[in-house]
Amino acid sequence: MRSSVKFTLFILLLTAMLTACSSEKKTAEESPAPTPKEEVVKNTSTDDTKEKEVPNKTQQFSGENFSFSYPSTWKDAGLDVPQITAAFVNPNPQGPFAENVNLIIEESSATPQEAADISAEGLASGAGGELIQNYKKLNYMDIADKAAGILEAEYTQGELNAQVILTQYFVSDGQAMYILSIASPKDAYDNGGKAIVQNIIDSFEIVNANHAVADPNANAGTNNDDLTEENLFAEMMAYIIPIEVENGALDQKNYNYIVKNYTLFPALTRETQKKAIAEVNPNIDSRHLFKNINPYLEQMIEVSGYVVEIMEEEIDEGLTVTEIHIIDDYDNSIFGYYAHTTGDILQDDYVTMRGVPATYYSFENISGGTTNSVLMGISTIEKTP
């Protein structure tokens, strides 16, 4: 398969992060929107927009090769996230967290249990960040005759301190994985919500498996239709930048350079490390980048400095993402993202990093001011004397 099962959780988490960031920018007049599985949705409806609920009435959503039903009072979330094929939310929740459902389709030959295990293990280890805390797997039920499985879990929505029941329905046709995620406040789930969840799951049907997988590269302007070995790091950067930088996006030059040199991100063998070093333009340093980053979006540069902060997140076995912040020899702030572990590198170590500069990045520092940084995609990183 081109897209490994371990990427399933990676896609879901990045999508959740991206959607959460965009939802924070909505005004009180806009419709609430859920993230996949756990979005904070507040009731912004007025009396004029509320509809009288009709018990057990449902609305069917039909895609190109699937269909499912959801409560007729729920509204289209209106998400602008390519990975989410469909998303609906209760616009009139009883509390701060609203029931919601979303569907993601990705190319994968994994079994439903493999995909469910990856999701559960990752979220239980803290991969959900502040939004998904105290994640606990409750149950997994395999449905062999439908090549499907149901994963039930409970977690605390960190921003609201709300208990949420997350039910994920994994359905495989051998080439594509359909992931239907339904999130409900625990109180609502225990008081009739469980039946709603089950009705949604029971209604799901694959009509004609032609694998119309949502394009995960739409934000980067590419035509690839799934994550591959070649575009994985480019896609990672394409998701991170809009999260870290308001109105930010990965430049197409950056994207193309990373894909063209994908074996260098990260460069883990002696051969690829030598190639990365050979790619470095020795005449460029951080001073050039802070003056004007645009001429260097397709060039490998080298920076050295002291580690201010370093954090590693193991998304799954064999897939670790490292965020590192250094102050370089010119007293400039550099942030880097590296798709691997960094071994024994720790805070205050002196390191040399090679990679491609992507964009500017600003953040509030501990003194109350603003620090301007350059954000890079890292090819190699090593501790230096």
Side-chain angles (χ1 to χ4, degrees):
M1 56 184 171
R2 296 177 67 195
S3 177
S4 169
V5 61
K6 68 180 61 177
F7 299 152
T8 300
L9 179 62
F10 192 48
I11 292 174
L12 291 174
L13 292 180
L14 290 177
T15 304
M17 292 166 66
L18 177 61
T19 311
C21 286
S22 64
S23 68
E24 291 172 358
K25 300 174 186 176
K26 290 183 177 291
T27 64
E29 290 76 23
E30 293 180 305
S31 298
T35 63
K37 307 174 294 184
E38 77 286 349
E39 170 64 1
V40 184
V41 183
K42 296 186 178 180
N43 183 0
T44 58
S45 301
T46 65
D47 291 338
D48 293 333
T49 61
K50 291 183 180 180
E51 296 183 9
K52 185 177 181 180
E53 184 175 355
V54 179
N56 303 321
K57 185 177 180 181
T58 61
Q59 173 81 24
Q60 185 179 65
F61 178 84
S62 296
E64 214 173 308
N65 55 329
F66 67 90
S67 67
F68 67 91
S69 297
Y70 59 93
S72 60
T73 54
W74 292 15
K75 301 299 183 183
D76 189 328
L79 300 182
D80 185 21
V81 180
Q83 286 72 19
I84 304 177
T85 303
F88 301 94
V89 60
N90 180 2
N92 302 309
Q94 297 302 307
F97 187 94
E99 299 94 328
N100 63 83
V101 58
N102 69 78
L103 176 70
I104 291 174
I105 310 172
E106 71 160 347
E107 289 188 5
S108 173
S109 60
T111 67
Q113 183 160 4
E114 287 174 333
D117 287 345
I118 293 297
S119 181
E121 291 170 8
L123 293 174
S125 67
E130 293 298 318
L131 289 177
I132 303 180
Q133 299 180 7
N134 306 317
Y135 178 92
K136 180 182 179 182
K137 176 181 174 180
L138 300 177
N139 183 50
Y140 175 80
M141 179 172 63
D142 202 47
I143 307 175
D145 60 331
K146 293 185 177 180
I150 300 174
L151 172 64
E152 296 177 336
E154 182 178 357
Y155 68 89
T156 302
Q157 210 289 345
E159 292 183 358
L160 301 174
N161 194 31
Q163 292 303 111
V164 177
I165 300 296
L166 171 64
T167 307
Q168 290 181 283
Y169 187 44
F170 296 85
V171 186
S172 173
D173 64 13
Q175 297 183 52
M177 181 69 67
Y178 298 75
I179 308 166
L180 192 69
S181 298
I182 310 154
S184 308
K186 189 175 187 304
D187 289 345
Y189 183 86
D190 292 338
N191 292 279
K194 184 175 183 178
I196 294 175
V197 170
Q198 190 61 53
N199 287 339
I200 294 174
I201 290 174
D202 290 343
S203 72
F204 184 83
E205 181 181 5
I206 298 177
V207 180
N208 179 25
N210 59 8
H211 312 298
V213 180
D215 181 359
N217 300 312
N219 289 346
T222 72
N223 293 317
N224 294 329
D225 59 4
D226 65 339
L227 287 177
T228 66
E229 183 182 4
E230 289 82 358
N231 70 18
L232 178 60
F233 187 73
E235 284 298 315
M236 178 182 127
M237 294 297 292
Y239 282 109
I240 287 172
I241 289 175
I243 295 166
E244 298 290 352
V245 182
E246 185 174 1
N247 299 320
L250 181 68
D251 191 279
Q252 190 66 48
K253 292 179 180 178
N254 261 166
Y255 191 99
N256 293 343
Y257 179 85
I258 293 171
V259 171
K260 180 181 178 181
N261 298 280
Y262 74 94
T263 58
L264 306 185
F265 294 94
L268 301 177
T269 67
R270 182 171 298 181
E271 180 181 353
T272 55
Q273 289 167 356
K274 287 182 178 179
K275 185 176 179 180
I277 294 172
E279 281 279 319
V280 170
N281 185 338
N283 299 315
I284 306 302
D285 58 49
S286 63
R287 295 174 299 174
H288 297 86
L289 302 181
F290 277 91
K291 181 180 179 180
N292 184 3
I293 198 173
N294 292 324
Y296 313 111
L297 298 178
E298 299 176 280
Q299 297 190 42
M300 190 82 77
I301 66 154
E302 180 179 291
V303 292
S304 298
Y306 286 96
V307 177
V308 177
E309 187 176 23
I310 184 168
M311 294 182 292
E312 293 184 353
E313 183 76 41
E314 186 177 3
I315 302 301
D316 183 38
E317 183 179 355
L319 182 59
T320 297
V321 178
T322 298
E323 178 182 354
I324 184 168
H325 178 203
I326 74 167
I327 300 298
D328 78 350
D329 295 338
Y330 296 98
D331 204 30
N332 285 323
S333 173
I334 309 290
F335 264 88
Y337 284 90
Y338 181 62
H340 204 266
T341 180
T342 54
D344 63 348
I345 293 175
L346 300 172
Q347 184 177 338
D348 295 328
D349 284 340
Y350 189 82
V351 298
T352 295
M353 305 191 306
R354 301 174 187 91
V356 59
T359 188
Y360 296 117
Y361 170 51
S362 298
F363 61 95
E364 293 184 5
N365 55 44
I366 58 175
S367 300
T370 299
T371 297
N372 296 319
S373 296
V374 164
L375 192 151
M376 293 176 54
I378 303 300
S379 169
T380 70
I381 180 170
E382 60 196 42
K383 189 186 298 187
T384 51

